[in-house]
Amino acid sequence: MHTIYQLRSRLLAVLLLTTTLPLAAQAQQDNIDLAGKVVDSKTRIPLAGVLIHIQNTTHEVRTDVKGQFKFLTGQRLPVVFNVSLNGYQTKEILITSDPLNIQISLTEGSSQLNDVVVVGYGTQKKSDLTGSVSSVNSKIIKQSVGSSFDRVLQGAVSGVQVTQTSGQPGAAVSIRIRGGNSITGGNEPLYVIDGFPVYNDNSDASAGVTSGPSINALASLNPGDIESIDVLKDASSTAVYGSRGANGVVIITTKKGRAGQNTVTYEGYYGQQDVIKKIDVLTSSRDWALLKNEALINAGKAPYYSDADLAALTGGTDWQDAAFRKAAQQNHQFNISGGDDKTRYSIGLNYFLQDGVVKNTDFSRYALRINLDRNVTSRFKAGVNLTASKTSAQEANSNIVSTLLLLPPTVAIRDENGDYIRRSPFEVSLGNPIATLDQEINRTNTYRVLGNVYGDLSLGKHLTARVSVGADIIANKQNRYIPSTLYEAQQTNGSASVGSKFVNTWLNENTLTYQQLFGKHNVNAVAGFTQQSYSNESVIAGGQGFVSDKLTYNNLSSGSILVIPSSGGAEWALNSYLGRVNYSYDQRYYVTVTARADGSSRFGKDNKWGFFPSAALAWTLSRENFLQDVTWIDNLKLRVSAGITGNQEIGQYKSLSTLTNSVYIIGNNLTTGFYPSNLANPQLGWEKTTQYDAGVDVGILNNRISLTVDAYLKRTSALLLTVPVPYTTGYSTALKNYGTVENKGVEVALNTQNLVDKEVSWTSTLTFSLNRNKVISLGEGVQYLISDPSIAAVGQPLGSFYGLISDGVFKSTDKIESLPTYLGPTVTKPGDRKYVDVSGDGSITQAADRNYIGSAQPKFLAGLINNFAYKGFDLSFFLYTSYGNRLFNQNKQQLELFSGQQNVSTSALNRWTATNENTTIQRAKEDPAPIVESRYVEDASFLRLKNLTFGYTLPLSLLNRVHLHQLRFYVTASNLFTWTNYSGYDPEVSRNEQATLTQGVDYGAYPSAKSWVAGIGITF
C-alpha cells in the first residue's frame, strides 16, 4: 500500500507539474514589458510628463525628464496606448507584437477631452468640466500679429465679442462675454494672469495728459509669452471670482519650463502695414469751390470764387494721402526654457515696434518674463512668475483724423516759402493736421511689473496648501507739447503739460486643495481666503507762453503762464472667502458647488458684503451601458448650471458724501471753497447677475468631430444708475441700485479633423455666437436714458440709436407749406432734408418724432479657422464675420453739411440742385445743423479674412546637420480683405471705446490697417 501511495503521489506531482508549467509560461508571456520614448514631432525634443494609458484599463504611467516610460502589465497583446499631454494632440497607438520598445511622436495642438484647462484656483480635464469654459487654440496665439493678446479672442471663442476701437498702434479693445450687463459700470471681463486678477479699463495706464484713444494696459504682456488662454463664461465657472465674475473671466497662463527640455528659441517677424481704405471726400479744388459758391448763392450772398478764380483752380490737396503712409512693424522674442526633476525655468525677452499708418505715430514694447519653480523638498514646492515691461506710444491727437477729412482741398499744406500753413482760411477753424503730426509731442510711457511668488506644501497624500503673494505695479508718464508754430497753440505761444500716475495693487491668496479618489468616487475641493488692495496717485502740471519751443515740456517754469496743477488719488480693498467642491462618480455623473463671499470698500457701509453661489450638474451619457455599443459616439455629455455673480466696477467713493473744490470771488479776491457733490447712500450695493446655462458636448468618430453647444439666460439686476431724488435733499440726483438688463443667447463651437494622415492633415474650427440684449427696467417711472445719438430704453438693446427717420429731400414740386418740416415751412426749401412725421402732428420735432433707428448689437458673430499641413508645409486661414450690427457714422454726418466752410463727402457731387432733383442728397446750404437721423446709421456687417499664414518647416534630416531642432519660415497677412457695405474707414470701431450705452459711434477714429509680415522661428 505504501508503495502504491508513493507511486500515486509521484504521478500526481508529475501531472501537476506538466499542467502548471504551461500556465506559468503563459502567465509570463501575458506580463509584458512596455517601454519607449515620447518626443515632439517637429523638434524631436523628449517630452516629460506624457500620460501613457492602456485603453480600457487602469494601467498608466508618465514619461520621465528624458521622455522615457516603462512599466509591467498583465494585459495580453494587442493593446492600445492612449498617449496624451496638454497642448498636444492625443494619440492612439495599437501594439500587436514585439518589439515593445517604441518611439512615439506627438503633434502640437488641441487634444480635446484630455486637455487640461485652467479654471479658478485649479485645473480640470475638459472631460470633467461642468461649466462653460472655452480655450483658445495655441496655433491662433502663435499666428497672431499685433500688440496685445486680447485681439486673439476675436472669432476664436464662441460667446465673445471683441471690438478694436481704434487703429492707433497699441490702442485699447473692448470685450464683451455674453453681452454687456451694466449701463454705467464696467463691462470688461476679469483677466487672471498667472493667478493675478486684473480688471482692465486702461485708466491705470493714463495720467490724463495726452489726447487720443486709450492705450491698452494689457499690451504690456507679450502675446508670444502666453501658453494658454481659457475663457470662463457661465456662473458655475466664474462664481469662484464672485463680485468680479459677472462679465466673464479670461485666464492667461504664460509659458513654463518643462523637465528634460532645455531649449533656446528665437521667433521674429518684419513687415508692412497700409490703411484698409480711405473715406471718399472731395480732392478737387474746383469741385469744392463750386459747392462753396452754391452754398453762398442759396443763402442770398455773393459767390466766394469768381469765374476767373474757378478757371485757375487745378488739382487739390488730398489730406488723407498726405497723412497716411506704409508703416513697418517688427517683433523679436527669445525664450530659454528647460529644467530637471527639481527645477523648471522659462525666461523670455521681447522687443516689439509698430509704426502707425498715420505719420509720426507708433507703439513699442520691451518685455522680460521669468517663470521659475522648484521642488524644494518632496513635500514643498516654490515658484515665481514675473513680467516686467516698458511700453511707449506716440499718438495722433483726437482731432487729427476728423481734421484730415474736413479740411478743404483748396487749402495747401505749405505756403510758397515751404512753411506749414497754420489753418484753413474759411469759417470753420481747422489747424494744419500734417504740421500737428510732425511737430506735436503726444507720448505715453508706461512701466509695469506684474508678478507673484507662491509656495505649495503637501499636508498629506490628498491635501495641499498654497500661499501666494503678488503685486501689480504701474508707473505711467505722459508728455505733451504743442509748439507755438501750430494753430492750436497760436494764442498760448506754446503749451506744455506733463503727468504721472503710480498704481500699486497687491494680492495675497491662501488656499487648501483636497483631492481623493474613492473607488469610483472622485472629490476635488478648494477653500481659501484672499485679500487684494489697490491704490493710485496722480499729478498733472503744465505751462504756456514759452520764449522758445526748444525745451518742449522739459522746463515748465520757463512758461510765462503756469497752468493750475492738479493731483489725485484713490484706494479700494477687497477681502474674500471662497470654496468649491467638484464631485464625480465613475466619470459619468458630476456635481460642482461653488460659493464666494466678497467684502468691498467700494459699497455702502450697510452693504459691503455680497454672497455669490453657483451649482452645476453634468452627465456623461457616452459612459452609460446603453451607449457602449454605439461605437461612433466617443463623448456625449449634458451640462446645466445656475448661479449668481457680481460687478464691483463702479469707481471709488460712490457710496459716500463727497465734496468738490471750486474757485469763488469774495470781494475782490479769488477764494477756493468746497461744495457737496454727491449724496451718501449707505445701502449702495452690487450689481448682481443671475445666469442659467444648459450645454451639450459631443465627440464622434474617434473625436475627429467635436461639438459644444450652450444656451444661456442671464439677468443683471440692481443696476447702478443716477436717479432723480427730492430737491429737499439738496441734490437733484443720486446713485442707487435700480434697473435690470437681460442677455440670452446660443453659442456653438465645432472642431473637426477633416483629414489626418502621416503627410497630410486638415483641421477646422467653427464658432458661432448669438446674443440678444434687452433693457428690462430702468427703475420706477424711468423709461429711457438718452445720450445722443444713443438711448437706453426699456424693451430695447443697449447701444440703440435714437433720432429722426430720414425720408429723402423735398422736391420743387412738393407743397412744402402743407407738409411736416423740421425748420418750419417758411424756412424749408426744396433740397432740404425730409423726415417722417412719427407723431402725426404735422410738424417735425426732436421731442415727438425721434425713434429707434438701429442698434450696435450684432445679430450674430462667427469665425472659421482652417489649418492645412503637407509634409513640411503649413497653411491656415481665419475668417471672421459680424452680422446685423449698425454704426452711427458721425464722420458722414459732418461731411454732409454742405456749408462751403469745410470739406464734404463725394456724395455732394450728386446733391440736390434745380437740375438734379432725382436724388436723396440735400442741397448746399451755408448754415445746416447736424441732425441725428437714420441716414447716418449704417449697416456695419462685415466678413474679414482676419489671418492668412503660409509656412515651411525644414526637415529634421537637414536640421540635424546644423544642430537645430526646428527651423520654420512663414508669411502672414492680417486683415487682408474686408467685405462690407459700411462707408467709413472700417466697420470695427467705437469712438467711445469700452462704453456700453454709447457704443457704435464712429467719429474721427484712427483708421485700421492691413499688414503683411515675413517671419522665422528657430529652436536650438
Side-chain angles (χ1 to χ4, degrees), residues 1 315 431 676 819 900 903 994:
M1 285 293 293
L819 295 175
N903 203 8
Q994 296 178 347

Side-chain angles (χ1 to χ4, degrees), residues 195-214:
F196 198 107
V198 174
Y199 182 79
N200 187 47
D201 63 0
N202 303 303
S203 61
D204 288 340
S206 175
V209 166
T210 57
S211 172
S214 298

Side-chain angles (χ1 to χ4, degrees), residues 399-419:
N399 297 318
I400 286 291
V401 174
S402 59
T403 305
L404 289 172
L405 296 174
L406 295 176
L407 263 172
T410 55
V411 180
I413 297 174
R414 296 179 183 269
D415 60 21
E416 60 275 8
N417 297 320
D419 297 324

Side-chain angles (χ1 to χ4, degrees), residues 207 209 477-480 496-500 539-543 553-554 556:
V209 166
K477 176 67 165 40
Q478 293 184 327
N479 306 311
R480 191 176 187 199
S497 53
V498 296
S500 295
V539 60
I540 296 174
Y553 55 82
N554 289 306
L556 298 182

